[in-house]
Amino acid sequence: MCSSDLVYALLNLFINLQEKKIGDAYYRQDYLALLMHPYIKNIRHTLEPIHTRILIHSVEEVLLSQSKTFVELNEIEERLEIFDRAAQMARREVPLQNFKDALAAIHESFVRKTAGIKTLAQLGNRFEEILTFLLRHSPAARYPFSGEFFQSFFLLLDKIKNSLLKDEEFKESKDLFDLFRHIAGEERISFQGIPIKGLQILGLLETRGLNFDCVFLLDANEGILPSVESSDSLDRKSVV
């Protein structure tokens, strides 16, 4: 599994946010990275996606204008400047209170409920709830290959929730998160293709069986594919 996959990247953002928190305060950059993830900032739930994006960008602008490195959720929810700015950007089409309620809902669903997790079962259940919510209320289902990625992660979470260690409490949350990263990093996602239809993704060895007069290799570095023979300055032919 590639770590650039949006699903894995999102779950890793949840982990980063909880790992670096100090008391009730979250590292600002991790908090903003989570909110700016494409699945989060395009949620259609209490607001339309365009207004959710306006809200998230307003949060970003206000927090980046201050010098505090760590922020508390209650503090952010009380910053009227955020919601007034969002309402102005939305041309007052959305009441200010709606923006406040939407941010509180995001905090509750994606941050507060993720805090305090101690076991693999809790982690698996929480991530399953998050992914299910995003499939229903975000554009996640419309991304290419999202079906394969989400299905693979749901199977992985089921495996975690039913493992022998599922109820074992970890004294250090970092150990729990590192274990999840290790398990997720071992997963591989297979894509099933139809040989006689559509675009096919092949490995290099599979291309040996192609029967075409001309085949284009994309993103191949000259000298590596194909390899270049190295010249030997002590070639026997040059020795007298």
Side-chain angles (χ1 to χ4, degrees), residues 6-48:
L6 285 177
V7 180
Y8 177 82
L10 175 62
L11 298 182
N12 199 45
L13 288 176
F14 285 110
I15 290 175
N16 289 339
L17 190 64
Q18 298 300 328
E19 277 184 325
K20 298 179 187 176
K21 67 178 294 191
I22 299 177
D24 293 328
Y26 293 91
Y27 183 48
R28 182 182 64 183
Q29 292 305 111
D30 288 338
Y31 169 80
L32 291 176
L34 177 63
L35 263 61
M36 294 298 292
H37 188 281
Y39 291 169
I40 304 294
K41 71 177 183 179
N42 289 292
I43 286 174
R44 180 194 297 271
H45 187 42
T46 57
L47 296 173
E48 289 296 312

Side-chain angles (χ1 to χ4, degrees), residues 43-182:
I43 286 174
R44 180 194 297 271
H45 187 42
T46 57
L47 296 173
E48 289 296 312
I50 185 173
H51 296 134
T52 304
R53 290 195 297 272
I54 287 174
L55 171 62
I56 299 304
H57 284 293
S58 297
V59 173
E60 180 187 36
E61 290 175 4
V62 171
L63 292 187
L64 290 180
S65 67
Q66 65 183 36
S67 58
K68 296 184 66 174
T69 304
F70 287 83
V71 293
E72 294 187 16
L73 301 184
N74 291 335
E75 174 190 353
I76 299 172
E77 293 169 0
E78 293 170 1
R79 293 291 297 269
L80 294 181
E81 179 187 357
I82 292 173
F83 312 112
D84 186 58
R85 180 176 301 201
Q88 289 182 21
M89 292 176 65
R91 301 179 181 179
R92 301 295 176 181
E93 296 175 357
V94 180
L96 186 146
Q97 185 63 43
N98 288 20
F99 284 113
K100 294 183 65 176
D101 293 342
L103 185 60
I106 290 174
H107 285 169
E108 181 66 22
S109 298
F110 300 120
V111 184
R112 288 191 171 101
K113 285 186 178 180
T114 312
I117 289 176
K118 295 293 184 180
T119 69
L120 282 173
Q122 293 173 347
L123 185 68
N125 285 324
R126 188 69 201 102
F127 280 170
E128 188 176 85
E129 291 173 3
I130 289 172
L131 295 184
T132 300
F133 180 91
L134 291 175
L135 281 174
R136 293 174 179 171
H137 301 290
S138 83
R142 300 199 298 269
Y143 280 73
F145 306 118
S146 63
E148 289 86 350
F149 283 126
F150 273 86
Q151 181 183 21
S152 176
F153 270 97
F154 280 127
L155 292 174
L156 171 65
L157 295 176
D158 279 340
K159 182 167 64 175
I160 287 176
K161 292 189 300 178
N162 293 299
S163 68
L164 295 177
L165 291 175
K166 63 180 181 179
D167 295 321
E168 186 74 22
E169 286 200 6
F170 286 76
K171 294 182 179 180
E172 299 291 336
S173 58
K174 184 179 185 306
D175 295 335
L176 173 63
F177 297 142
D178 284 344
L179 178 58
F180 173 80
R181 288 192 181 105
H182 174 75

Side-chain angles (χ1 to χ4, degrees), residues 171-227:
K171 294 182 179 180
E172 299 291 336
S173 58
K174 184 179 185 306
D175 295 335
L176 173 63
F177 297 142
D178 284 344
L179 178 58
F180 173 80
R181 288 192 181 105
H182 174 75
I183 295 172
E186 294 295 316
E187 288 293 303
R188 295 295 181 267
I189 301 175
S190 299
F191 295 94
Q192 299 298 325
I194 302 175
I196 60 175
K197 182 179 179 181
L199 175 66
Q200 302 299 308
I201 302 176
L202 305 177
L204 187 59
L205 291 178
E206 294 174 288
T207 62
R208 296 180 302 174
L210 294 179
N211 187 21
F212 295 102
D213 294 332
C214 183
V215 175
F216 293 92
L217 289 179
L218 304 181
D219 197 25
N221 294 323
E222 184 178 0
I224 299 177
L225 289 174
S227 62

